[in-house]
């Protein structure tokens, strides 16, 4: 009787270890898309496009420059919190292992922002990155931001 109980407990422990140990190491092996989209949205609203002291209030010059850079590959020479030497959203934000789309909405439409004074250019649509696929799972993070004294919605999609 003692042998049967001992073997049963041993087998239960072995099954438990085999079932749960791979999940312990999963966060270190791959990044979850939801966490990645949330991290990228926090980076954009806090450091890259604004001032960390006022998160959520985006600098119009940095915002326009970011979207111009990733849409056209043209560096505007503005000193902001993102990598000015790249030409894709994922590379600019340091997440080249995923596809990233960043869009700023003004209500239901994509927002536009006029070129800042001192930098040549025209109004720019605030959308960057590859088109969002319809046939894959996409993680989405939304943030309410203040751009050019107007409340808008920043949407980061990762797949």
């Amino acid at each position: 009787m003692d042998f049967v109980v001992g073997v049963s407990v041993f087998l239960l422990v072995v099954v438990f270890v085999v079932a749960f140990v791979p999940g312990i190491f999963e966060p270190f092996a791959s990044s979850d898309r939801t966490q990645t989209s949330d991290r990228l949205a926090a980076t954009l609203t806090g450091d890259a496009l604004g001032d960390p002291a006022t998160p959520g209030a985006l600098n119009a010059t940095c915002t326009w420059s970011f979207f111009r850079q990733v849409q056209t590959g043209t560096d505007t020479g503005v000193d902001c919190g993102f990598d000015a030497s790249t030409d894709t959203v994922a590379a600019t934000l340091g997440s080249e292992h995923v596809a990233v789309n960043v869009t700023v909405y003004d209500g239901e439409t994509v927002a536009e922002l006029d070129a800042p004074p001192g930098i040549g250019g025209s109004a720019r649509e605030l959308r960057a990155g590859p088109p969002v696929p319809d046939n894959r799972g996409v993680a989405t993070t939304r943030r309410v931001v203040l751009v050019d004294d107007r409340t808008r919605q920043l949407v980061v999609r990762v797949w």
Side-chain angles (χ1 to χ4, degrees):
M1 185 74 145
D2 291 338
F3 179 75
V4 171
V5 170
V7 169
S8 299
V9 169
F10 174 76
L11 290 176
L12 284 173
V13 169
V14 168
V15 167
F16 176 80
V17 169
V18 169
F20 290 105
V21 168
I24 294 172
F25 299 108
E26 188 174 331
F28 303 108
S30 66
S31 179
D32 183 46
R33 289 182 303 209
T34 303
Q35 292 173 340
T36 303
S37 70
D38 190 52
R39 180 180 55 83
L40 295 177
T43 299
L44 285 168
T45 59
D47 300 332
L49 302 181
D51 182 6
T54 57
L58 305 185
N59 179 311
T61 302
C62 288
T63 302
W64 186 88
S65 299
F66 171 80
F67 283 97
R68 178 181 180 201
Q69 175 180 321
V70 295
Q71 289 171 353
T72 65
T74 305
D75 180 16
T76 57
V78 176
D79 185 25
C80 295
F82 56 87
D83 185 0
S85 65
T86 59
D87 60 353
T88 65
V89 177
T92 303
L93 298 175
S95 293
E96 296 182 42
H97 63 283
V98 294
V100 181
N101 178 289
V102 177
T103 307
V104 178
Y105 289 98
D106 187 6
E108 296 294 319
T109 61
V110 176
E112 286 190 358
L113 189 61
D114 291 329
I119 298 177
S122 58
R124 183 144 312 274
E125 188 177 60
L126 302 181
R127 177 190 336 228
V132 180
D134 294 332
N135 60 352
R136 293 185 63 181
V138 177
T140 303
T141 300
R142 299 173 187 275
R143 301 284 166 112
V144 175
V145 295
L146 187 67
V147 181
D148 205 23
D149 295 327
R150 294 189 61 188
T151 302
R152 298 186 178 165
Q153 188 177 69
L154 176 89
V155 179
V156 177
R157 296 180 185 100
V158 175
W159 64 96

